[in-house]
Amino acid sequence: IAKMFMAHFAEIELDTETGEVKIVKIVAVHDSGTIINPEVCENQVAGGALIASGFALSEDLVWDRKTGRVLNPNFLDYKILTALDTPPIDISFADVVDPVGAFGVKAIGEGSVCPTLPAIGQAIYNAIGVRIDAPFTPEKIIRALKERGRESL
């Protein structure tokens, strides 16, 4: 069993006129046991955070409900983040030796994707006071702001 514990936090800028979200910074704290190769581990966490940032902000498979066919099967229509979208990522590791794992290590790779999307979603909620489903596209944010505005009337 691969145990791992992690927490990610996201700082964003959100334009309430356009619905655009910019990730300003991600803070990632991981308990992955004894870190044998820090550079590889930092790259795993950074890569996971960036993959999840794409899931959070832009990646959305569009399906034809009748045929099950993917309607955006290319990178022209299925938007992924690029190097220009990469925010600074502050990565820290807790030094907690796992008594069960070989050499005191724990897992790090796949789990590094998990906490980033909710961190971005929470940052958006903190900014606009509305929860929406990922991906957190500008269209969804504008729609949520309009619905919130109607409810407050």
Side-chain angles (χ1 to χ4, degrees), residues 4 30 32 35 41-42 44-45 93 106-112:
M4 62 187 115
H30 284 245
S32 296
I35 301 300
C41 292
E42 287 174 9
Q44 285 285 316
V45 173
F93 295 104
K106 298 180 185 178
I108 193 165
E110 293 82 0
S112 64

Side-chain angles (χ1 to χ4, degrees), residues 1-30:
I1 295 176
K3 299 183 294 181
M4 62 187 115
F5 303 95
M6 65 225 44
H8 287 197
F9 305 89
E11 179 182 348
I12 64 163
E13 291 177 355
L14 190 147
D15 186 326
T16 56
E17 297 289 320
T18 65
E20 293 288 328
V21 175
K22 177 184 177 198
I23 303 171
V24 174
K25 182 179 182 180
I26 294 173
V27 175
V29 182
H30 284 245

Side-chain angles (χ1 to χ4, degrees), residues 7-144:
H8 287 197
F9 305 89
E11 179 182 348
I12 64 163
E13 291 177 355
L14 190 147
D15 186 326
T16 56
E17 297 289 320
T18 65
E20 293 288 328
V21 175
K22 177 184 177 198
I23 303 171
V24 174
K25 182 179 182 180
I26 294 173
V27 175
V29 182
H30 284 245
D31 170 5
S32 296
T34 302
I35 301 300
I36 295 174
N37 188 327
E39 288 179 4
V40 168
C41 292
E42 287 174 9
N43 285 336
Q44 285 285 316
V45 173
L50 293 175
I51 288 168
S53 296
F55 293 161
L57 297 180
S58 64
E59 296 184 38
D60 191 17
L61 277 178
V62 180
W63 300 85
D64 183 315
R65 291 179 185 252
K66 292 180 181 176
T67 66
R69 191 171 150 254
V70 177
L71 299 176
N72 59 342
N74 58 62
F75 291 131
L76 182 62
D77 299 318
Y78 183 90
K79 304 295 184 195
I80 62 171
L81 299 184
T82 69
L84 297 175
D85 303 305
T86 304
I89 304 173
D90 181 4
I91 301 169
S92 300
F93 295 104
D95 190 14
V96 180
V97 176
D98 184 356
V100 178
F103 306 107
V105 301
K106 298 180 185 178
I108 193 165
E110 293 82 0
S112 64
V113 175
C114 298
T116 306
L117 188 145
I120 294 169
Q122 184 63 40
I124 291 170
Y125 174 76
N126 290 346
I128 66 173
V130 180
R131 295 220 182 266
I132 58 176
D133 293 329
F136 311 116
T137 61
E139 297 80 19
K140 287 183 181 179
I141 291 170
I142 295 298
R143 187 177 328 120

